Amino acid sequence: MTDRNLIAELIVQYSQGIRHLDQYRQSLDRSDPDQADEARTVSGMLSDMRYALDWMRRGRRPGSRRGAERRDIYRRRELLASAEPLTEEERQSLIDCVAVMTERELTCWLLHMAHGLTQSEIADRLGVTRTSVQQFIIRARDKIQQRIS
């Protein structure tokens, strides 16, 4: 079974699960404190399931904006799976690019380009400002361009 078939199957299962869970939530008597608490718990579960379903349908994190389609991690993985192995010259060029980057530039560039994190998410993880992350990524790109040219 291919990845697309698995995702399609998960989408169907999540859709059915959301319908059943929503019916259960509506059947609860909210005037009873225990059932009202249960309804709040089920509402949280529904929210999580809808978020996951949206992610599966779109192939990207829900709520991502500003060019998220370009950074679509699932499509990138398909491209990588179909890519040919690197030649020795390409491998050496890649090593040269990475070697000239500072540790912070490399970390920010990889988190942004390979993992698809936003600059704000990277800033939160590393404990720096978003502007600093932006500058690290720009410097890393410039160094890559210099090495490739």
Side-chain angles (χ1 to χ4, degrees):
M1 189 174 254
T2 67
D3 287 342
R4 288 181 188 208
N5 290 342
L6 289 172
I7 296 292
E9 173 95 16
L10 278 173
I11 288 172
V12 169
Q13 291 174 0
Y14 267 71
S15 298
Q16 290 171 348
I18 287 171
R19 274 194 301 275
H20 293 304
L21 203 53
D22 197 31
Q23 288 171 352
Y24 171 67
R25 181 181 56 120
Q26 290 175 3
S27 72
L28 294 171
D29 178 19
R30 295 201 175 136
S31 61
D32 178 16
D34 289 334
Q35 288 194 12
D37 189 42
E38 175 77 2
R40 280 190 296 277
T41 301
V42 171
S43 292
M45 293 166 60
L46 280 167
S47 175
D48 291 345
M49 289 178 73
R50 286 185 180 116
Y51 182 87
L53 184 61
D54 190 31
W55 194 324
M56 286 183 271
R57 284 183 174 149
R58 293 174 180 230
R60 63 183 171 97
R61 179 177 300 138
S64 291
R65 295 185 287 277
R66 295 177 31 175
E69 287 81 11
R70 287 184 296 131
R71 298 189 310 258
D72 185 346
I73 193 75
Y74 299 112
R75 288 191 188 120
R76 233 185 286 162
R77 284 184 182 154
E78 286 179 15
L79 287 174
L80 289 174
S82 66
E84 297 176 16
L86 295 175
T87 64
E88 185 58 35
E89 183 180 327
E90 291 169 331
R91 188 177 154 283
Q92 190 59 48
S93 178
L94 180 61
I95 291 169
D96 289 344
C97 288
V98 170
V100 297
M101 290 183 205
T102 66
E103 183 178 341
R104 196 53 74 120
E105 290 168 348
L106 180 60
T107 301
C108 291
W109 186 74
L110 286 173
L111 287 172
H112 184 64
M113 298 305 292
H115 293 278
L117 297 181
T118 65
Q119 292 175 2
S120 296
E121 291 170 329
I122 297 168
D124 291 342
R125 276 190 180 190
L126 300 179
V128 297
T129 65
R130 189 198 59 79
T131 307
S132 294
V133 171
Q134 182 180 21
Q135 288 304 310
F136 289 134
I137 292 170
I138 289 170
R139 280 192 244 149
R141 280 186 193 147
D142 289 346
K143 289 178 180 181
I144 290 169
Q145 287 301 321
Q146 287 173 354
R147 289 290 176 175
I148 291 175
S149 300

